[in-house]
Amino acid sequence: MPDLRPEAVTRLAAHLERLPGVGPRTARALVEHLLVVDEGEVDALAQALADLRGAVCHCSRCFLLTESDPCPVCSDPGRDHGVILVVEEPTTAWAVEATHQFNGVFHALLGHLSPLHGVGPEDLTIDALIDRVRSSEVREVILATDPTVEGETTALYIARRLKDLPVQISRPASGIPVGGELAAVDRLTLAMALESRREV
Amino acid sequence: MPDLRPEAVTRLAAHLERLPGVGPRTARALVEHLLVVDEGEVDALAQALADLRGAVCHCSRCFLLTESDPCPVCSDPGRDHGVILVVEEPTTAWAVEATHQFNGVFHALLGHLSPLHGVGPEDLTIDALIDRVRSSEVREVILATDPTVEGETTALYIARRLKDLPVQISRPASGIPVGGELAAVDRLTLAMALESRREV
């Protein structure tokens, strides 16, 4: 008998191990914790997990994650529906919203172009974005894809698709993070920050 | 609208944050991971969690965690039921079993004496242990409580309770961990290791 762990224990540990950042030791420690805490707490966690994917869907308009379709942003008359901020993932929109600096609406691409991984324009929500711009009074599209090769490529591709429509297209500024040290910033960011320097 | 996270997302994050070693950032990263992985995987994790406490109970004889009562160890005629290894927690028994060096049976106290926290003998499974020793042919009780003040106190208390019964009582040896450096060992362990030195 090499292992006294009940099967329910090893099964849960195996599932936890598949989570990012959770190794065998952490998985074991988590299960041992869950074996001793209040049973109601474990059931509540199980229920919250079971609810997650059932309760949450993509907004049919902007593809953010939402429990109601259209999402609270798309159905809010107080937001400026003339400005669309395009992000790769819905979670990026959450980060933008936390800045309290953006009152427009969003569009989540659900990824980025990546020919190497077989991700083409038809795998993203780009056509839906073009339709949105074409069919409603959109003044500006902010292409806030990630500052990676794939993100830049995706932004360029969308900009090209939009170029014949009467809409302003922009990218967030690249530069030195606020509170960051100049010496600690990578060379590419530093170069872009210098190139985009502003008169004071 | 300060937060675009669907309620199911924040609720799950709040539950995950209560796990040991999981802060707000990790909880958020875990939920974002669970939002994109295969839905079947999330459901399987939820099910494994829901099953954990329902499927697992304490063995009525030795108080190890088990899915069948009596547990596989207690119901195994190939084990030496004359030797009981007493541990604080069932998980310690799992660690002992992994050494493949022990063929006796176990007894989990489910804690240790701690007057400061209001834990007395009646809160542990000490009476059940005394009954086991009294009613069956037990030759030896190995008190493998943790080498802490509470563990030592608990071991002493049990030894006193057992002293009039015809049973040998022992403690695992204290000493320098195998593969450890002498200089890295704490002073108390080093002192005990020297005191228990053996002729070679």
Side-chain angles (χ1 to χ4, degrees):
Chain A
M1 194 177 303
D3 200 343
L4 295 180
R5 288 175 179 77
E7 203 260 325
V9 167
T10 46
R11 194 171 61 237
L12 177 56
H15 280 293
L16 289 172
E17 256 184 68
R18 279 179 231 160
L19 296 175
V22 178
R25 284 178 78 101
T26 309
R28 244 177 289 156
L30 286 173
V31 178
E32 292 178 12
H33 168 82
L34 291 166
L35 281 166
V36 295
V37 291
D38 181 55
E39 191 167 346
E41 175 59 29
V42 183
D43 288 342
L45 173 57
Q47 193 57 51
L49 264 168
D51 289 348
L52 181 68
R53 297 293 285 269
V56 175
C57 64
H58 290 286
C59 171
S60 58
R61 198 165 161 71
C62 75
F63 299 93
L64 289 195
L65 291 167
T66 176
E67 281 175 298
S68 54
D69 188 12
C71 74
V73 175
C74 285
S75 50
D76 183 352
R79 310 275 307 208
D80 182 351
H81 291 256
V83 181
I84 299 180
L85 188 125
V86 178
V87 290
E88 294 184 19
E89 298 297 341
T91 52
T92 309
W94 303 346
V96 171
E97 190 71 3
T99 68
H100 296 91
Q101 294 300 308
F102 180 70
N103 194 41
V105 292
F106 294 98
H107 190 92
L109 298 171
L110 307 185
H112 50 232
L113 295 177
S114 179
L116 277 175
H117 297 91
V119 182
E122 66 287 357
D123 300 309
L124 307 177
T125 65
I126 294 176
D127 286 344
L129 172 65
I130 310 293
D131 281 349
R132 277 180 82 181
V133 175
R134 220 190 286 271
S135 63
S136 59
E137 290 183 4
V138 177
R139 304 186 308 281
E140 183 178 0
V141 172
I142 307 171
L143 296 171
T145 50
D146 289 341
T148 58
V149 173
E150 292 89 350
E152 300 285 352
T153 307
T154 309
L156 266 176
Y157 174 84
I158 296 173
R160 220 156 28 205
R161 290 276 303 267
L162 289 171
K163 78 173 192 300
D164 294 330
L165 295 172
V167 65
Q168 195 184 321
I169 303 166
S170 64
R171 286 277 282 155
S174 293
I176 298 148
V178 178
E181 273 181 66
L182 224 71
V185 171
D186 66 285
R187 277 189 300 175
L188 193 62
T189 304
L190 198 53
M192 293 186 87
L194 290 174
E195 199 186 298
S196 329
R197 68 190 179 279
R198 295 184 306 174
E199 221 172 313
V200 287
Chain B
M1 193 176 305
D3 199 343
L4 294 181
R5 288 174 179 78
E7 203 259 326
V9 167
T10 48
R11 194 170 63 238
L12 176 57
H15 280 292
L16 290 172
E17 256 184 70
R18 279 179 230 159
L19 296 174
V22 179
R25 283 177 78 99
T26 308
R28 245 177 287 154
L30 287 173
V31 178
E32 292 178 11
H33 168 82
L34 292 165
L35 282 166
V36 294
V37 290
D38 180 54
E39 191 166 349
E41 175 58 28
V42 183
D43 288 342
L45 173 58
Q47 194 56 50
L49 263 168
D51 290 347
L52 180 69
R53 296 293 285 269
V56 175
C57 66
H58 290 287
C59 171
S60 59
R61 197 167 162 71
C62 76
F63 299 94
L64 288 197
L65 291 167
T66 175
E67 280 175 298
S68 54
D69 188 13
C71 75
V73 175
C74 285
S75 51
D76 183 351
R79 310 275 308 206
D80 183 351
H81 291 257
V83 182
I84 299 181
L85 188 124
V86 178
V87 290
E88 295 184 19
E89 299 297 341
T91 51
T92 309
W94 302 346
V96 171
E97 190 72 2
T99 67
H100 297 91
Q101 294 299 307
F102 180 69
N103 194 41
V105 292
F106 295 97
H107 190 94
L109 298 170
L110 306 184
H112 50 232
L113 293 177
S114 178
L116 278 175
H117 297 91
V119 182
E122 66 286 356
D123 299 310
L124 306 178
T125 65
I126 294 177
D127 286 345
L129 172 65
I130 309 293
D131 281 349
R132 279 181 80 179
V133 175
R134 219 190 288 272
S135 62
S136 59
E137 290 182 5
V138 176
R139 303 186 311 279
E140 183 177 1
V141 172
I142 306 170
L143 297 170
T145 52
D146 289 340
T148 60
V149 174
E150 293 89 350
E152 300 284 351
T153 308
T154 309
L156 266 175
Y157 174 83
I158 296 173
R160 219 153 32 204
R161 290 276 303 269
L162 290 171
K163 78 172 190 305
D164 294 331
L165 295 172
V167 65
Q168 195 184 320
I169 303 167
S170 65
R171 288 276 281 155
S174 293
I176 298 149
V178 178
E181 273 180 67
L182 223 73
V185 171
D186 66 285
R187 278 188 300 174
L188 194 62
T189 303
L190 196 53
M192 294 186 86
L194 288 173
E195 200 186 299
S196 328
R197 66 189 180 279
R198 294 183 306 173
E199 221 170 314
V200 287

